[in-house]
C-alpha cells in the first residue's frame, strides 16, 4: 500500500488547491494489483424529474460481451439500470428499463440482457418470468413464464443456454419460518440463439428428494455453468449442492456439510471485539457457487436458516472436499478493521457473492463479504490451496460482482441505500487490474501476537519518529483502546492495543474522541459526553499501562449550556490542554464553537471562539485539534457524504491567538487560514467521499497524518483511510 504523499510545505503552509496525489515510488517492476478507480451512485440513472429521494439499489450485475456496458438489477425501483463504462474511470448513466416487477437477477449474453423478474402473488403462489431485452434500446425481445419465483441466472460459456434457479422462497414469518413450505423450487433451463431465447425449449430440472434437510422443498439459490455445460446449483436452506446436465439430469449431488468454527466473536451487544468463542458443526448453507475449473466448484458459505460458516469451501464435483477456509478469511478482514461487530451473533462477515475469472493467466476468485463490505481476491491456481492476494474496499453490502478480464476490470454492485437515514446511496464500484501497489488497506493489525480487531478510530496524536497513537470511540464502549501505529510500513501497522481501564476493568462511560501526550509517558484523553446517556463530558489522565489516574469534569458554568456534541480532539501546549468542541453550545454565537482550555497546574478554565463555515445542508463542526510550532490545526467538516460533501478541511490558527478568556466573558474570535481541502484526497481512493474525517496528527518532521472513522462498520462501508502529506 503506498502511503499517500500530498502537498504541504515544511511549515504547513497553504496549499488548499492541490488535488493530485503523488504515490510513493515503488520498485521498477511493480506488482499487478486491483485498485478502485471509480464509483457510480445508482440514483444517477433516474430520469430528469424523478424523485431522487426514493431508495434504489444495485444488486446483481452483468456486462455486455464487449465489456463496455453494465446492467444491474434494482429491486426497490423495479428496473434494470445501465451504465456506460467505455471510459471506466468516468462511468456514465444510460438510464433504467422498467420491468413491471421485482428483478432478482440479470445475465448479459452478447448485447441481450436476460432478466429474471419476480411476480409472485404470495409465498404460496410464486410466479415469475425471464425477459430478454436489447441492452441498447431497452426493447423487450422475448418473455418466458418460469412457473415460479426466480432467484438467480447463469449462462453457458458457449452462450447456448441459460439456467434459472427457481427458489420459491419460504415465508420466514410463517410457523417456525423453516423449509418445507410448498411449492418446491427447481431449476429452469432455456436455449439461447440469435440474440434471444426460445421459450419452447424451456425445461424444468427436478431437484426434490435429494437433500437431507427438507428434501421435499428444495430452495435453489445460485448456479454456475462450466465449459462442459454442467450446472452447479446451491440449495441454501437445504445445505446441499446439485450438479445437473444441460438437459436437467442430476449428475451428482451432495451435502454442503459443516465446519467447526474456532476463534470467533459470536456475541452481539457487548461492544467489544473478542474472538474466543466457537461454533462446532456449523452448517455451511452456501449462497454463491462458481466453477473454478471443469472439475472443481467454490461456494460462499453465507448461511440463512441455521448456518453460515463465515468462509468458503472448494469441492470436487464428485463431492470430495478439497479446501476449507475456516475462519481465515474473516480473520484477515478483522485485521483490516472491517469486522461488523453487530453481526457477531448472526453470521459474521457473511461471504455471499462470488466471481471467478482469469487475469494474466491467473484464475482469481473474488469473494464478497456482504456485512464487511469488502472483496477478497484469491489466487485459485491450485484449488486445494487458494492464496489470499488482496482485500478490496467496496460500497456498503456488496451483492453482485462481475469480472471483465479482457479490459482488466472488476465491478461490484453494492445494495445498501441509506437515503432514509440521511446516509450514502447505493453504488457500483469499478476496479482496474494494473501495475502498481495496492492502495488499500491503509491500516492493519496483521502481525500482532494476538488477533486484534479495531475500528471507529477517532482522535490521533504523534509520538516519536514514525509512531502515532489513536483512540477508538464509544462504538466499542466495553473495549476503550489506545492503539499504537507504526507508519513506517505500507500499510501502516497497529503494533499495540492498550486497553483503557478503571480499577482493573474496561473503563465505562467513555466516548474517546481525542488524545494527546502528557509528556510523562502517558496520555490525556478527551471524552465527548452525552448526559442523556449518563456519559460525562470529561478529561481523563491515562498512564502508560492504560489506567485512568485522574478524571476532570466540566465546570457548572459550561454544563449549563451543554449540548450532545462535545469534545472532538485535544492537544497540549505547555500547561494548557486545548479541546475542540464539535458544535455550538447554548451560549455560543451562531456558526461559532469553543476551543476550550484547561490548565493542568492551576486548574483554571478558559476558551476562545472559532468561526466555522455556515452549512448548505446538515451541519458543520470541528473534529480534531493539534498544536505544532507556531500554529494550531483543526479539522472542520460537515456531516455530508458522497457528492453532497462540501467541507472536509484543515485550517490553521496562529498560536498567538490562543489566549483563553474567562468563561462567561466575551470570548476572542480566532482567525483561521485554510491549509488543505481534504475532499480531493478522499476521492483519490475511487469511492465516495466519506463523512467522518476525525483524526489529525503532526510528526516531529512536519508530516501530517489524517484518518477517518469507519463507525464500527455499522451502516458504513468500513473503510478507514490513513494518509499523510508534508
Amino acid at each position: 500500500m503506498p502511503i499517500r504523499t500530498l502537498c504541504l510545505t515544511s511549515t504547513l503552509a497553504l496549499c488548499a488547491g492541490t488535488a493530485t496525489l503523488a504515490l510513493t515510488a515503488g520498485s521498477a517492476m511493480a506488482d499487478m494489483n486491483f485498485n478502485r478507480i471509480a464509483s457510480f451512485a445508482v440514483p444517477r440513472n433516474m430520469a430528469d424529474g424523478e424523485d431522487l429521494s426514493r431508495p434504489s439499489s444495485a444488486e446483481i450485475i452483468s456486462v455486455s460481451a464487449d465489456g463496455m456496458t453494465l446492467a444491474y438489477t434494482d429491486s426497490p425501483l423495479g428496473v434494470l439500470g445501465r451504465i456506460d463504462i467505455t471510459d471506466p474511470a468516468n462511468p456514465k448513466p444510460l438510464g433504467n428499463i422498467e420491468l413491471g416487477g421485482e428483478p432478482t437477477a440479470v445475465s448479459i449474453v452478447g448485447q441481450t440482457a436476460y432478466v429474471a423478474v419476480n411476480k409472485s402473488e404470495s409465498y404460496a403462489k410464486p410466479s415469475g418470468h425471464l425477459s430478454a431485452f436489447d441492452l441498447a434500446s431497452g426493447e423487450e425481445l422475448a418473455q418466458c413464464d418460469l412457473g415460479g419465483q426466480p432467484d438467480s441466472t447463469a449462462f453457458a460459456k458457449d452462450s447456448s443456454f441459460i439456467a434459472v434457479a427457481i427458489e420459491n422462497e419460504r415465508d420466514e414469518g410463517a410457523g417456525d419460518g423453516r423449509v418445507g413450505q410448498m411449492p418446491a423450487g427447481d431449476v429452469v433451463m432455456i436455449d439461447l440463439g440469435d440474440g434471444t431465447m426460445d421459450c419452447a425449449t424451456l425445461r424444468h430440472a427436478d431437484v426434490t428428494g435429494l437433500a437431507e434437510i427438507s428434501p421435499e422443498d428444495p430452495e435453489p439459490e445460485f448456479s454456475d455453468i462450466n465449459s462442459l455445460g454442467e450446472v452447479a446449483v446451491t440449495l441454501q436452506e437445504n445445505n446441499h449442492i446439485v450438479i445437473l446436465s444441460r438437459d436437467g439430469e442430476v449428475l451428482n449431488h451432495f451435502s454442503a456439510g459443516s465446519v467447526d468454527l474456532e476463534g470467533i466473536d459470536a456475541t452481539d451487544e457487548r461492544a467489544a471485539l473478542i474472538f474466543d468463542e466457537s461454533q462446532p458443526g456449523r452448517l455451511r448453507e452456501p449462497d454463491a457457487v462458481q466453477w473454478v475449473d471443469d472439475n472443481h466448484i467454490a461456494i460462499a458459505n453465507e448461511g440463512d436458516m441455521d448456518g453460515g460458516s463465515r468462509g468458503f469451501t472448494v469441492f470436487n464435483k464428485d463431492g470430495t472436499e478439497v479446501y476449507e477456509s475456516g475462519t481465515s478469511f474473516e480473520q484477515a478482514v478483522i485485521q483490516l478493521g472491517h469486522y461488523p461487530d453487530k453481526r457477531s451473533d448472526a453470521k459474521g462477515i457473511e461471504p455471499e457473492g462470488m466471481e471467478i475469472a482469469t487475469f494474466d493467466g491467473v484464475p482469481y476468485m473474488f469473494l464478497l463479504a456482504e456485512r464487511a463490505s469488502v472483496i477478497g481476491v484469491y489466487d485459485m491456481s491450485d484449488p486445494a490451496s487458494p492464496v489470499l492476494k488482496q482485500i478490496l474496499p467496496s460500497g456498503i453490502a456488496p451483492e453482485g460482482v462481475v469480472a471483465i478480464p479482457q479490459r482488466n476490470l472488476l465491478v461490484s454492485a453494492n445494495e445498501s441505500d441509506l437515503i432514509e437515514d440521511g446516509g450514502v446511496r447505493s453504488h457500483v464500484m469499478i476496479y482496474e487490474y494494473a501495475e502498481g501497489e495496492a492502495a488499500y488497506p491503509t491500516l492493519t493489525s496483521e502481525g500482532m501476537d494476538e488477533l486484534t480487531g479495531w475500528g471507529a478510530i477517532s482522535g490521533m496524536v504523534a509520538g516519536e519518529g514514525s509512531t502515532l497513537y489513536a483512540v477508538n470511540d464509544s462504538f466499542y464502549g466495553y473495549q476503550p483502546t489506545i492503539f499504537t501505529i507504526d507508519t513506517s510500513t505500507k500499510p501502516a501497522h497497529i503494533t499495540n492495543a492498550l486497553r483503557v481501564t478503571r480499577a482493573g476493568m474496561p473503563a465505562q462511560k467513555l466516548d474517546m474522541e481525542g488524545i494527546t501526550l502528557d509528556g510523562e509517558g502517558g496520555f490525556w484523553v478527551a471524552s465527548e459526553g452525552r448526559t442523556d446517556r449518563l456519559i460525562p463530558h470529561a478529561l481523563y489522565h491515562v498512564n502508560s499501562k492504560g489506567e485512568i489516574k485522574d478524571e476532570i469534569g466540566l465546570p457548572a458554568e459550561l454544563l449549563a449550556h451543554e449540548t450532545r456534541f462535545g469534545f472532538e480532539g485535544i492537544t497540549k501546549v505547555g500547561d494548557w490542554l486545548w479541546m475542540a468542541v464539535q458544535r455550538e453550545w447554548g451560549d455560543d454565537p451562531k456558526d461559532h464553537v469553543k476551543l476550550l482550555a484547561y490548565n493542568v497546574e492551576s486548574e483554571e478554565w478558559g476558551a476562545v471562539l472559532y468561526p466555522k463555515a455556515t452549512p448548505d445542508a446538515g451541519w458543520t463542526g470541528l473534529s480534531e485539534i493539534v498544536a505544532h510550532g507556531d500554529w494550531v490545526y483543526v479539522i472542520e467538516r460537515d456531516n455530508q457524504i458522497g457528492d453532497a460533501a462540501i467541507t472536509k478541511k484543515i485550517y490553521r490558527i496562529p498560536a498567538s491567538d490562543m489566549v483563553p478568556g474567562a468563561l462567561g466573558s466575551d470570548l476572542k474570535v480566532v482567525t483561521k487560514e485554510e491549509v488543505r481541502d481534504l475532499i480531493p484526497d478522499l476521492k483519490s481512493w475511487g469511492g465516495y467521499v466519506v463523512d467522518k474525517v476525525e483524526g489529525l496528527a503532526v510528526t516531529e518532521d512536519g508530516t501530517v497524518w489524517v484518518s477517518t472513522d469507519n463507525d464500527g462498520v455499522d451502516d458504513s462501508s468500513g473503510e478507514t483511510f490513513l494518509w499523510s502529506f508534508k
Side-chain angles (χ1 to χ4, degrees):
M1 147 65 198
I3 293 178
R4 306 268 171 156
T5 306
L6 314 176
C7 166
L8 211 67
T9 71
S10 59
T11 57
L12 306 187
L14 183 69
C15 63
T18 302
T20 303
L21 293 113
L23 301 184
T24 302
S27 62
M29 296 296 290
D31 292 335
M32 297 289 288
N33 280 293
F34 292 90
N35 281 309
R36 188 170 52 192
I37 59 171
S39 61
F40 178 90
V42 170
R44 291 179 59 193
N45 258 328
M46 294 188 200
D48 290 342
E50 288 193 69
D51 180 6
L52 297 180
S53 67
R54 294 176 300 160
S56 59
S57 178
E59 296 164 302
I60 305 303
I61 194 161
S62 190
V63 66
S64 59
D66 62 6
M68 297 297 177
T69 305
L70 299 169
Y72 59 87
T73 58
D74 186 333
S75 175
L77 292 183
V79 301
L80 183 73
R82 296 168 295 170
I83 307 172
D84 177 2
I85 57 168
T86 303
D87 178 1
N90 294 285
K92 294 180 172 55
L94 291 175
N96 294 322
I97 299 173
E98 294 288 340
L99 300 173
E102 177 200 9
T104 62
V106 59
S107 292
I108 302 175
V109 181
Q111 296 294 321
T112 303
Y114 297 89
V115 187
V117 181
N118 178 18
K119 297 282 290 183
S120 298
E121 177 184 333
S122 67
Y123 290 104
K125 296 180 179 180
S127 65
H129 62 255
L130 186 70
S131 288
F133 289 93
D134 180 273
L135 195 57
S137 68
E139 175 188 359
E140 187 175 41
L141 306 175
Q143 184 181 118
C144 301
D145 181 75
L146 296 171
Q149 172 252 313
D151 192 4
S152 64
T153 57
F155 64 90
K157 297 190 186 316
D158 63 3
S159 303
S160 60
F161 74 99
I162 191 167
V164 186
I166 306 299
E167 183 180 19
N168 292 342
E169 65 182 343
R170 73 190 195 280
D171 181 356
E172 296 183 28
D176 60 5
R178 303 178 62 80
V179 291
Q181 296 180 24
M182 297 295 107
D186 63 10
V187 180
V188 167
M189 300 177 206
I190 306 172
D191 289 345
L192 307 179
D194 298 323
T196 187
M197 59 185 172
D198 182 359
C199 296
T201 67
L202 187 150
R203 50 207 179 269
H204 290 268
D206 182 3
V207 290
T208 60
L210 304 179
E212 295 177 7
I213 299 171
S214 298
E216 79 286 359
D217 181 27
E219 291 197 10
E221 185 78 17
F222 208 93
S223 64
D224 193 39
I225 306 173
N226 66 11
S227 66
L228 303 176
E230 297 170 334
V231 184
V233 184
T234 57
L235 313 182
Q236 186 170 30
E237 288 80 1
N238 311 92
N239 197 42
H240 211 72
I241 298 165
V242 182
I243 310 296
L244 301 169
S245 74
R246 61 179 298 145
D247 297 321
E249 177 189 359
V250 176
L251 301 176
N252 194 26
H253 68 92
F254 47 92
S255 170
S258 63
V259 182
D260 293 327
L261 296 177
E262 299 288 344
I264 63 171
D265 187 343
T267 304
D268 191 13
E269 305 300 336
R270 63 178 171 184
L273 298 172
I274 303 171
F275 304 100
D276 61 358
E277 295 174 290
S278 63
Q279 288 179 337
R282 184 75 167 176
L283 298 181
R284 290 186 172 108
E285 291 188 346
D287 189 316
V289 59
Q290 289 279 288
W291 287 96
V292 180
D293 53 37
D294 283 341
N295 294 307
H296 298 91
I297 60 170
I299 56 172
N301 301 322
E302 177 200 25
D304 191 309
M305 190 171 67
D306 297 317
S309 60
R310 306 187 181 212
F312 69 96
T313 312
V314 179
F315 284 100
N316 188 289
K317 65 183 179 183
D318 67 7
T320 304
E321 182 179 313
V322 173
Y323 175 82
E324 168 55 48
S325 71
T327 58
S328 62
F329 180 46
E330 182 168 90
Q331 289 185 358
V333 170
I334 289 167
Q335 292 170 340
L336 268 58
H338 275 261
Y339 182 75
D341 188 45
K342 287 192 173 181
R343 300 294 301 177
S344 290
D345 66 336
K347 294 161 286 186
I349 64 172
E350 289 190 28
E352 179 176 14
M354 182 189 290
E355 172 82 317
I356 291 180
T358 298
F359 288 77
D360 259 358
V362 179
Y364 286 105
M365 177 178 70
F366 305 96
L367 181 62
L368 307 183
E370 181 184 14
R371 301 298 180 175
S373 297
V374 295
I375 305 171
V377 182
Y378 282 84
D379 180 342
M380 300 296 290
S381 297
D382 180 358
S385 185
V387 178
L388 180 60
K389 305 296 288 186
Q390 285 184 260
I391 296 181
L392 306 176
S394 198
I396 302 177
E399 179 79 6
V401 58
V402 62
I404 316 173
Q406 70 268 32
R407 298 191 65 198
N408 277 342
L409 298 175
L410 176 74
V411 181
S412 70
N414 304 276
E415 66 177 344
S416 283
D417 187 334
L418 303 180
I419 181 63
E420 294 178 343
D421 297 320
V424 71
R425 308 304 301 267
S426 172
H427 276 72
V428 170
M429 302 287 184
I430 303 173
Y431 308 81
E432 183 178 38
Y433 183 64
E435 190 175 274
E437 295 177 300
Y440 197 85
T442 62
L443 181 61
T444 177
S445 65
E446 182 183 7
M448 292 186 67
D449 291 339
E450 294 183 4
L451 179 64
T452 301
W454 58 274
I457 296 294
S458 52
M460 291 199 305
V461 66
E464 293 184 0
S466 59
T467 299
L468 302 178
Y469 299 98
V471 291
N472 58 8
D473 65 24
S474 60
F475 187 87
Y476 302 105
Y478 283 81
Q479 201 176 53
T481 304
I482 298 172
F483 297 101
T484 303
I485 300 172
D486 178 6
T487 63
S488 68
T489 61
K490 303 176 187 178
H493 277 71
I494 294 173
T495 59
N496 188 54
L498 180 67
R499 308 306 184 190
V500 178
T501 62
R502 184 186 285 116
M505 298 295 292
Q508 300 297 287
K509 301 297 183 181
L510 298 183
D511 184 8
M512 301 191 298
E513 296 286 353
I515 182 172
T516 193
L517 305 179
D518 69 355
E520 301 170 351
F523 308 92
W524 283 98
V525 170
S527 180
E528 182 178 27
R530 187 162 176 179
T531 299
D532 62 341
R533 296 181 180 176
L534 302 180
I535 300 175
H537 300 275
L539 305 176
Y540 297 93
H541 197 184
V542 181
N543 68 15
S544 60
K545 297 179 181 180
E547 301 165 331
I548 293 177
K549 307 307 291 184
D550 196 11
E551 306 184 21
I552 300 170
L554 268 61
E557 59 263 44
L558 274 173
L559 291 176
H561 307 286
E562 171 198 8
T563 68
R564 60 168 283 201
F565 299 97
F567 294 152
E568 291 277 339
I570 184 172
T571 193
K572 191 169 187 288
V573 182
D575 292 333
W576 287 95
L577 296 173
W578 284 94
M579 289 68 66
V581 179
Q582 186 178 59
R583 291 171 59 184
E584 299 98 323
W585 281 24
D587 59 340
D588 292 327
K590 181 178 173 59
D591 294 327
H592 288 72
V593 295
K594 290 185 185 73
L595 302 178
L596 195 61
Y598 174 77
N599 192 292
V600 297
E601 295 298 329
S602 66
E603 301 182 357
E604 61 185 308
W605 290 86
V608 294
L609 287 175
Y610 174 89
K612 66 182 184 66
T614 301
D616 292 332
W619 53 259
T620 57
L622 298 182
S623 282
E624 181 66 291
I625 183 169
V626 175
H628 183 79
D630 295 330
W631 303 92
V632 173
Y633 299 87
V634 296
I635 291 177
E636 184 176 340
R637 69 168 181 91
D638 55 25
N639 67 333
Q640 302 300 292
I641 196 166
D643 293 337
I646 295 175
T647 304
K648 317 284 184 191
K649 296 181 177 182
I650 298 175
Y651 288 91
R652 67 179 187 178
I653 304 161
S656 58
D657 277 10
M658 302 290 286
V659 179
L663 298 179
S665 67
D666 291 334
L667 299 177
K668 176 181 179 178
V669 178
V670 300
T671 58
K672 69 177 187 179
E673 179 182 15
E674 185 176 323
V675 171
R676 186 172 193 83
D677 184 353
L678 299 174
I679 287 179
D681 303 348
L682 294 167
K683 288 182 175 180
S684 72
W685 278 278
Y688 53 81
V689 176
V690 298
D691 56 338
K692 292 190 174 182
V693 187
E694 298 222 345
L696 181 66
V698 185
T699 61
E700 296 167 346
D701 66 356
T703 300
V704 178
W705 289 89
V706 186
S707 65
T708 60
D709 176 355
N710 74 356
D711 274 337
V713 203
D714 183 33
D715 284 344
S716 163
S717 68
E719 295 171 64
T720 295
F721 300 120
L722 173 68
W723 75 103
S724 67
F725 49 87
K726 191 173 181 178

